[in-house]
Every structure is written in C-alpha cells, then in structure tokens.
Amino acid sequence: MRLKPTIILGRLDDRPDLSSRTLLQSTNFWILVCFAIWYLVAYQYCSYAYNRDPTSFFFNPAKGYQRVYSLKREGQADAFIQAANHSASELHPQQSTPSICLGIATIARTKEQYIRRTIGSLLDGLTHQQRSSIHLSVFFAQTDPHQHPVYNEPWLKNVANDILQYNVDDEEMARLRSLEENHQFWNKSMYDYGYLLRNCRDTRADWVMIVEDDVLAKEGWYPQAMAALQDIQRRMNMDEWLYLRLFYTEKLFGWNSEEWPQYLGWSALAFLVTAMALVVGRTYSRRLRKHLSNVSVAVLCCFCLPATILLYFMAGRVSMQPPISGLHRMERFGCCSQGLIFPQQMIPRAMETISHATNQRYYVDMTLEKWANAERLARFALVPPLLQHVGSKSSKGSKFDEGANSIWNFAFENYI
C-alpha cells in the first residue's frame, strides 16, 4: 500500500548561533546575500534601461526629454519651408472633394513661431496624390492677424489652400478682442476650435484633422493615419466613435490609484503562488527539505518577494507593461488636443458641443471627453503616435510654459 506524501511545514531554528562559521553555513544568510547582489544589479539595470519612462522612479528628465527623431524632422521641415519660399507646391485638391481637411489655428508666440515646422513636417514627404487629397486651412486666430510674424511670409501662400482670419461682424469682433485683452484663453480657444471645424465642414472632406500649431509630424504619417481610419470604419459605424488621436503623453499611463485593488490582487497572488511552490517543492525534494526551513520560506516570501514587487512598480508601468504598437481604443488618460481626426459625420455635433461650452472654463479636450463619455463614443489612438508636441512656449502666456514643456511623447523619439 502506497503512502500519500505529507506536506512538511519545515523546521524552526531553535537556538540561532551567530558565530561567523555558523553564519556562513546558514541558508538564510546566503539567500539574503544572493538576493542583495541580484537586487543591486537589477536596480542598476533599471536606472539605465528605464530612465526615459516618465512613469518610472528612475526617470531622468535630461534623458527623457532629449530630442532625437524630432531634431531630424525639424531639419526636414525647415528644408521644406525654405524650398516653399521660392516655389509653389501642388496646392489645390484635384479631387472634387478632398479626403482630409487639415486645419491649424495659430497665435503669435513671444519668441519662436512653431507653425513653420508644423506645416513643413506635415507636408514634407507627401506624394502628389496625397497632397492633392488634403485641403490645408491655416487660421490666424487673432483679431489683428498682421501681428503674427508668419502672416505675410511668402511660403505660406505657396502651401496653404486657405489662409483664414476672423470673418465676423463688428459686435462679434469686439467680443473676441475683449477675450484677447482679458486673457480668457479657455473661451477663446474654444471659439477658435469651433470656427476651424466650421470651415472644414464646408469643404465636405471625408475627414477633419485639427492640429495645433506647435507639433511635428512623423515622416509617412498620412498613409498610417488613413489605414487606421479605414480599420476603424471596419470595426464600427461612423456615429459610434468620435476621433482618432494622433498624440498623447505617457505621463498619464502610470500606476493609477484607481486600479490599486488590481495591483493588490496580483501581488497577493504572487505571494500565494511563491509560498505554495516553495512548500510543495520542499515536500518532494530532499535537498530542499534539508536547506529550506520555515524561516527561509518566510524570508523569501515576506522580504525578497515584496522587494522584487516594489522594484517592478518602481520600474514604471510603460516599461513593465508597454502598449502594443498599432490601433487602440483610448477612452481614458488620452491627453491632449494636439492632433485629432474626426469623421465628417460627427462635425455638426462636435460644433454644437463646443458652442455650448464656449463660455465655460474648459479646454477643448476636456469638453470633447466629457461629451464622448456621456454618449459612450469610442475614441482611438495610434501607438506610437504620429505627432510630437514641441512647443515650449505656450500660446496662453508665459505662466503656462512649464506645463507646455511637459507635454511630450517619449516613444515618438524612438522612430528612426
């Protein structure tokens, strides 16, 4: 008759001997020594490998905000604008209806005008067919557009299909001038976004792409965006989703406090699995049974494992759980409004929503997200994004510059 194996809980060290010889023979001592060495090596590796992850304890701003790919795109955009100063590109869509209305609202900054590189990076590298399918509208969102340094530059007329300024009555112009003078950026930006949406609606383009004036586009952004839009069309009806996001920042993708029960549950599961593996393994292995006491199991489960879990969280969520490249739904933690593509069918409802919020203290992205959440509209994003935010000087004034500097996508710089 075969006897069933009995799970052995282990032995306790009744009278610990702290002499050096006994200490060197102690399993617990070597467990701690080996773990300490491994932990130091792992810590050093994390400090090197994850210093560009904004969700990581090891994040180094000097490394994370280092421009790599964006410098390349800036150079290409500058070359495009320089060439456009001397010759016109193929402007007007040869199609009766453009595929995309690309709208950009711009306001003069105190120093650098990012609009040049924004337009240059968006148009650089496009084929003739791709360029002819885009209706480019540049909107100077100032009551006096001549105050914008770019307004009279010759290259602009050579590349833009429309150069817009306010076309409103005297009463409305006075109200806009009051918003400017009183620095009511929330209301003004909301009005301008709606104005640009209205212009793009009138082009009857299939898609409306609204881009801020301080971004850089990835080379080859057009075919990737169009492929993503076609993918969304296959998944759902036009009235079931709001936009395709072309920019986001990973800073909001960290270990969010709303999900702490999930983190606690997985940590508890790791503890139970580790403890059971050690106890069961010791039951069937004489060698483990000889060296692995109850104290050893406690050291591994109550000290080594929690320290390892802590290092996992310190490494950062973006590094430990990196998003898979491609098209994803992004209803949460998507910031900001640097670049969005809307289906034409949603423009009237978007205009109505923004119009109702013009007098409220909201930004455009907050208003759109609130509406989309209320109506359960899907929102999508491409990973990695197709745009990078490069504006260190906010259009809202110098007190917003610090916030503008931190709006950055770190994966964008990994493009080649």
Side-chain angles (χ1 to χ4, degrees):
M1 181 177 179
R2 297 181 61 184
L3 297 177
K4 294 182 179 179
T6 303
I7 294 179
I8 301 173
L9 294 179
R11 51 187 169 76
L12 291 172
D13 298 330
D14 297 326
R15 291 178 295 176
D17 188 344
L18 299 180
S19 66
S20 60
R21 182 177 180 182
T22 305
L23 191 63
L24 291 175
Q25 295 175 346
S26 169
T27 300
N28 299 333
F29 172 77
W30 287 109
I31 288 175
L32 291 174
V33 169
C34 292
F35 178 76
I37 294 173
W38 172 85
Y39 203 85
L40 286 174
V41 172
Y43 189 95
Q44 289 298 318
Y45 173 81
C46 290
S47 65
Y48 169 77
Y50 308 134
N51 56 22
R52 296 189 65 248
D53 179 356
T55 68
S56 174
F57 171 82
F58 304 98
F59 177 63
N60 181 350
K63 295 284 186 180
Y65 290 104
Q66 186 176 12
R67 296 188 178 190
V68 183
Y69 181 71
S70 59
L71 283 179
K72 173 184 175 182
R73 290 301 289 154
E74 285 179 353
Q76 292 170 333
D78 290 343
F80 179 91
I81 296 302
Q82 186 175 6
N85 266 316
H86 305 290
S87 61
S89 62
E90 292 190 18
L91 297 181
H92 303 286
Q94 297 172 0
Q95 307 168 354
S96 58
T97 302
S99 296
I100 294 182
C101 175
L102 172 54
I104 308 174
T106 182
I107 296 177
R109 312 292 173 116
T110 54
K111 294 182 180 179
E112 186 174 0
Q113 308 305 319
Y114 305 105
I115 182 66
R116 300 184 185 94
R117 286 174 173 171
T118 295
I119 294 177
S121 66
L122 285 164
L123 299 183
D124 173 64
L126 295 179
T127 66
H128 294 305
Q129 183 179 4
Q130 291 169 350
R131 178 63 189 92
S132 68
S133 69
I134 297 174
H135 184 97
L136 174 60
S137 295
V138 181
F139 173 35
F140 287 86
Q142 297 180 227
T143 52
D144 182 5
H146 296 277
Q147 292 182 355
H148 198 300
V150 174
Y151 184 71
N152 289 314
E153 291 183 353
W155 66 268
L156 184 61
K157 296 179 179 64
N158 290 338
V159 301
N161 298 93
D162 278 333
I163 299 176
L164 306 174
Q165 54 183 301
Y166 292 118
N167 183 18
V168 295
D169 57 32
D170 293 342
E171 182 180 355
E172 188 71 357
M173 184 65 79
R175 189 174 78 88
L176 291 171
R177 192 172 292 111
S178 175
L179 293 177
E180 286 182 346
E181 293 171 353
N182 294 317
H183 305 290
Q184 293 177 271
F185 306 111
W186 296 274
N187 312 100
K188 181 70 164 45
S189 62
M190 201 81 70
Y191 182 94
D192 295 340
Y193 207 90
Y195 195 95
L196 201 49
L197 284 177
R198 187 184 310 114
N199 175 79
C200 278
R201 178 203 61 186
D202 294 342
T203 67
R204 296 179 298 169
D206 298 327
W207 310 101
V208 173
M209 178 175 169
I210 305 298
V211 172
E212 294 192 358
D213 68 341
D214 55 356
V215 300
L216 287 173
K218 172 189 177 294
E219 188 174 11
W221 67 269
Y222 182 91
Q224 286 186 255
M226 294 303 293
L229 292 170
Q230 292 169 7
D231 191 1
I232 298 173
Q233 283 183 291
R234 288 191 291 267
R235 297 188 190 188
M236 58 181 58
N237 297 326
M238 288 294 195
D239 59 353
E240 295 178 329
W241 63 283
L242 180 56
Y243 61 65
L244 170 65
R245 176 177 292 280
L246 304 181
F247 173 85
Y248 60 86
T249 175
E250 301 99 325
K251 292 181 69 175
L252 302 179
F253 292 176
W255 306 109
N256 298 290
S257 58
E258 299 93 334
E259 299 175 342
W260 72 263
Q262 179 181 343
Y263 308 146
L264 181 61
W266 283 110
S267 299
L269 180 62
F271 176 86
L272 291 174
V273 169
T274 302
M276 288 297 298
L278 291 173
V279 172
V280 173
R282 188 176 60 185
T283 300
Y284 289 94
S285 172
R286 291 184 179 180
R287 180 172 296 181
L288 284 178
R289 192 182 310 154
K290 179 180 178 181
H291 296 287
L292 207 59
S293 67
N294 285 349
V295 174
S296 301
V297 173
V299 168
L300 288 168
C301 293
C302 299
F303 177 75
C304 297
L305 179 62
T308 302
I309 292 174
L310 176 62
L311 187 61
Y312 178 89
F313 281 99
M314 291 171 64
R317 187 173 189 174
V318 172
S319 297
M320 294 296 96
Q321 300 176 8
I324 300 172
S325 297
L327 182 67
H328 295 270
R329 291 186 65 157
M330 191 177 288
E331 275 88 34
R332 301 174 63 197
F333 311 121
C335 176
C336 305
S337 58
Q338 270 69 25
L340 303 173
I341 302 181
F342 304 89
Q344 176 67 253
Q345 290 86 335
M346 297 300 291
I347 296 303
R349 295 168 64 188
M351 289 172 54
E352 182 181 4
T353 299
I354 289 174
S355 176
H356 290 161
T358 300
N359 295 323
Q360 300 177 11
R361 198 179 178 89
Y362 283 117
Y363 288 118
V364 170
D365 59 327
M366 296 169 59
T367 301
L368 293 175
E369 295 305 312
K370 185 178 179 181
W371 166 45
N373 289 335
E375 299 204 12
R376 298 182 179 179
L377 297 173
R379 283 140 283 171
F380 292 87
L382 276 171
V383 178
L386 302 183
L387 299 180
Q388 176 67 291
H389 177 255
V390 294
S392 59
K393 299 296 181 183
S394 174
S395 61
K396 303 175 183 64
S398 58
K399 67 178 182 179
F400 292 90
D401 287 349
E402 183 176 353
N405 273 315
S406 65
I407 301 175
W408 184 258
N409 186 276
F410 302 85
F412 183 90
E413 298 303 316
N414 293 332
Y415 283 124
I416 299 175

